[in-house]
Amino acid sequence: MSFPLLTATAALPALGAIATAAVPAARRTAAKWTALIFSLATLALAGLVLARFEPGGARYQLTESHAWIPDFGVRYDLGVDGIGVALMALTALLIPFVMLAGWHDADPLDTHSSRWRPTQGFFALILLVEAMVILSFEATDVFLFYIFFEAMLIPMYFLIGGFGDRAHGGSEENAAAQRSYAAVKFLLYNLAGGLIMLAAVIGLHVVTGSFSLPEIAAARADGTLTMATSTERWLFLGFFFAFAVKAPLFPLHTWLPNAMGESTTPVAVLITAVMDKVGTFAMLRFCLGLFPEASKWATPVIMVLALISILYGALLAVGQRDIKRLIAYASISHFGFIVLGIFAMTSQGQSGATLYMVNHGISTAALMLVAGFLISRRGSRLIADYGGVQKVAPILAGTFLVGGLATLSLPGLAPFVSEFLVLVGTFSSHPVLGIIATLGIVLAALYVLVLYQRTMTGPVKPEVSAMPDLKVRELVVVAPLIALLIFLGVYPKPLTDIVNPAVQQTMSDIHKQDPRPEVEAAQ
């Protein structure tokens, strides 16, 4: 019996959460180091999974299968394809940086006060989210996936509501009310999507007699399993609604700006760079894999919604006065590009969408974490409260600029490759939508450059004149992310080699081929 590597990769952060929570309350530093060590060990295991994964091999690799609830046909089935292994590696990579960035975010508000933030709980909850997200990328049993898809909401709810942003700008009572509102809104939106998905999951089992994704997909491919058109469409809508909430896609996006704005910066990164990727990943794995005909039926409406997300999110980002909410609306725009690439139904579009998930995770983490370092120094999230920062903290300003340029997909940085592929794939299947989507690039340049100009250039405001530059811990967080953005921007082949075979298999599931360019023969 081979070593259960996928189980170990998910179990290690869960065990780390228990170990961290068990550290005595007075030993906060020991709790932090315990959590960080477990996150680094998880990263090492994820690297081993990546090393053992064969891009040209079987579709699902390192598989594990055990009976779990046999009376209901539920099994503990794990396996990773190229898309899942890339996103699992991204998750394991970002968590140590999230912890280092939030090293002091759960420290006591006042060492002479009885009020204190439970440091152990903060880091334990981050590890729990990591474990559940990794299992979501590994699960090949639909019911098993659903359990962790929903369970991750619980620790995230407490991270948003219990550990809010200290730079709120108002009274503590008002800040607590805003945190509670954001956490409850996040939970209600996602629970609503999850309940609808649960009905669809049960319906899927009634129709197919199985929860196994590979079994259902194989039965559909060889014709031994057929679904009525109306049944397939209703089941697709149940799954897609939950994933569109998680992604988030317009008009189900409104929880994200509140959640990111009111949470601490590391938790905001955890939301948009890690957790939200489960939604777009699930669209590829479950919506297209289980319901190919319904996916093609819904494509026109979904692509229009994705286009609205691109432009709507970008326009609202342009008008924001709050740095964190600006980045949140920018993420809504970026998720629109990801969904557009998925439902373009071309190999370029889906490869670009998968790369976009990874690259957006890295670029948004870099930009948001540097923004968090900036906000923690000034104690304000308002853009108008800054000015001339590049003169007093040049390294902070420089890393902020690189993160912003990656967000607007500057050539030479990783997001450019993915956005280019998404647009190429969209042009070849839906040229009008592709042309309109390019406006999102123009708007991205506008909100990023205006943000940089207003915060980093101009006269030095008195409130930032004594602002310190990045410290060693902060450089350790930001430098590797920037290095990855540059490396994957000039040499994306290691990543494309992993995801492209999985994309081709998805294209085969939906019985689609890339459209051939129409070229007139030379006379």
Side-chain angles (χ1 to χ4, degrees):
M1 183 177 178
S2 60
F3 179 72
L5 192 55
L6 296 185
T7 295
T9 307
L12 196 58
L15 292 174
I18 296 172
T20 302
V23 175
R27 303 185 62 186
R28 290 185 295 272
T29 302
K32 297 174 186 179
W33 279 105
T34 300
L36 181 60
I37 289 169
F38 271 94
S39 70
L40 291 172
T42 304
L43 176 58
L45 278 181
L48 184 57
V49 171
L50 201 58
R52 292 186 58 184
F53 184 82
E54 300 177 8
R59 180 168 192 174
Y60 297 107
Q61 300 181 31
L62 305 173
T63 55
E64 302 173 29
S65 182
H66 306 281
W68 185 24
I69 313 176
D71 291 343
F72 294 96
V74 180
R75 297 186 59 83
Y76 178 80
D77 288 347
L78 304 181
V80 287
D81 60 2
I83 301 170
V85 78
L87 293 173
M88 184 200 68
L90 171 71
T91 301
L93 173 70
L94 290 180
I95 295 301
F97 296 126
V98 165
M99 288 186 175
L100 282 173
W103 200 250
H104 299 297
D105 283 2
D107 285 349
L109 293 169
D110 184 352
T111 56
H112 302 290
S113 171
S114 59
R115 295 186 306 160
W116 63 285
R117 298 153 82 87
T119 305
Q120 288 82 344
F122 179 75
F123 287 92
L125 289 171
I126 290 176
L127 286 171
L128 276 179
V129 172
E130 178 182 21
M132 293 172 184
V133 169
I134 287 176
L135 275 168
S136 298
F137 292 139
E138 295 175 346
T140 57
D141 183 278
V142 178
F143 194 84
L144 181 68
F145 168 83
Y146 171 78
I147 289 174
F148 294 107
F149 180 81
E150 287 296 284
M152 70 179 71
L153 302 179
I154 299 171
M156 191 61 74
Y157 167 81
F158 288 109
L159 284 170
I160 297 170
F163 301 90
D165 189 0
R166 295 182 178 182
H168 190 276
S171 65
E172 180 63 28
E173 291 75 15
N174 182 50
Q178 292 295 326
R179 287 197 302 269
S180 297
Y181 172 78
V184 170
K185 188 175 184 179
F186 159 81
L187 189 64
L188 290 178
Y189 267 68
N190 284 275
L191 280 179
L195 288 174
I196 292 173
M197 181 182 170
L198 177 60
V201 168
I202 296 171
L204 178 69
H205 187 264
V206 170
V207 173
T208 65
S210 174
F211 286 119
S212 172
L213 174 64
E215 288 181 7
I216 297 172
R220 299 216 65 185
D222 61 23
T224 57
L225 173 65
T226 57
M227 290 187 196
T229 300
S230 59
T231 301
E232 181 178 349
R233 290 178 178 178
W234 280 112
L235 292 177
F236 167 85
L237 290 174
F239 276 76
F240 180 80
F241 183 84
F243 303 153
V245 172
K246 186 86 79 180
L249 181 70
F250 177 91
L252 305 171
H253 66 285
T254 59
W255 63 267
L256 182 66
N258 295 101
M260 288 183 65
E262 299 305 325
S263 60
T264 63
T265 300
V267 173
V269 172
L270 201 61
I271 294 170
T272 188
V274 175
M275 188 196 73
D276 286 351
K277 300 298 185 295
V278 178
T280 47
F281 161 79
M283 290 180 190
L284 272 169
R285 172 169 281 189
F286 295 101
C287 286
L288 272 60
L290 294 172
F291 316 109
E293 297 305 319
S295 298
K296 289 184 277 190
W297 162 75
T299 288
V301 173
I302 293 173
M303 293 197 73
V304 169
L305 292 177
L307 187 63
I308 294 173
S309 289
I310 292 170
L311 301 180
Y312 176 80
L315 284 170
L316 287 183
V318 171
Q320 288 303 305
R321 297 181 297 171
D322 184 308
I323 297 174
K324 291 174 70 175
R325 291 179 71 90
L326 184 151
I327 298 173
Y329 280 110
S331 289
I332 292 170
S333 180
H334 294 150
F335 277 105
F337 275 109
I338 294 172
V339 176
L340 191 73
I342 291 171
F343 285 90
M345 301 290 185
T346 61
S347 60
Q348 299 98 327
Q350 292 184 0
S351 292
T354 305
L355 292 178
Y356 216 131
M357 294 183 220
V358 177
N359 295 334
H360 172 264
I362 300 170
S363 63
T364 300
L367 180 61
M368 179 61 87
L369 291 177
V370 177
F373 298 149
L374 177 70
I375 291 168
S376 66
R377 284 159 164 75
R378 174 67 176 84
S380 172
R381 305 194 317 239
L382 297 179
I383 298 173
D385 288 341
Y386 297 87
V389 174
Q390 67 180 9
K391 296 177 183 177
V392 296
I395 299 177
L396 189 154
T399 53
F400 189 81
L401 178 61
V402 174
L405 293 177
T407 298
L408 63 82
S409 300
L410 183 77
L413 297 174
F416 169 76
V417 179
S418 44
E419 195 164 283
F420 178 77
L421 285 173
V422 166
L423 289 173
V424 168
T426 306
F427 277 128
S428 61
S429 61
H430 300 81
V432 174
L433 296 182
I435 292 170
I436 299 173
T438 55
L439 294 175
I441 303 174
V442 179
L443 293 172
L446 181 61
Y447 62 69
V448 168
L449 295 178
V450 168
L451 172 64
Y452 184 84
Q453 180 190 39
R454 291 178 178 175
T455 55
M456 301 296 167
T457 65
V460 178
K461 289 199 172 183
E463 295 84 358
V464 303
S465 59
M467 180 178 289
D469 215 333
L470 293 184
K471 302 173 183 177
V472 174
R473 173 180 58 85
E474 296 164 336
L475 284 172
V476 169
V477 171
V478 176
L481 297 176
I482 291 178
L484 269 176
L485 288 173
I486 296 171
F487 175 76
L488 293 176
V490 298
Y491 189 63
K493 187 176 184 297
L495 192 53
T496 57
D497 286 346
I498 293 173
V499 304
N500 281 344
V503 167
Q504 292 301 327
Q505 289 164 335
T506 303
M507 291 286 291
S508 176
D509 288 342
I510 58 178
H511 309 294
K512 294 284 287 186
Q513 293 181 342
D514 291 329
R516 295 182 178 274
E518 298 179 3
V519 180
E520 293 185 9
Q523 298 297 323

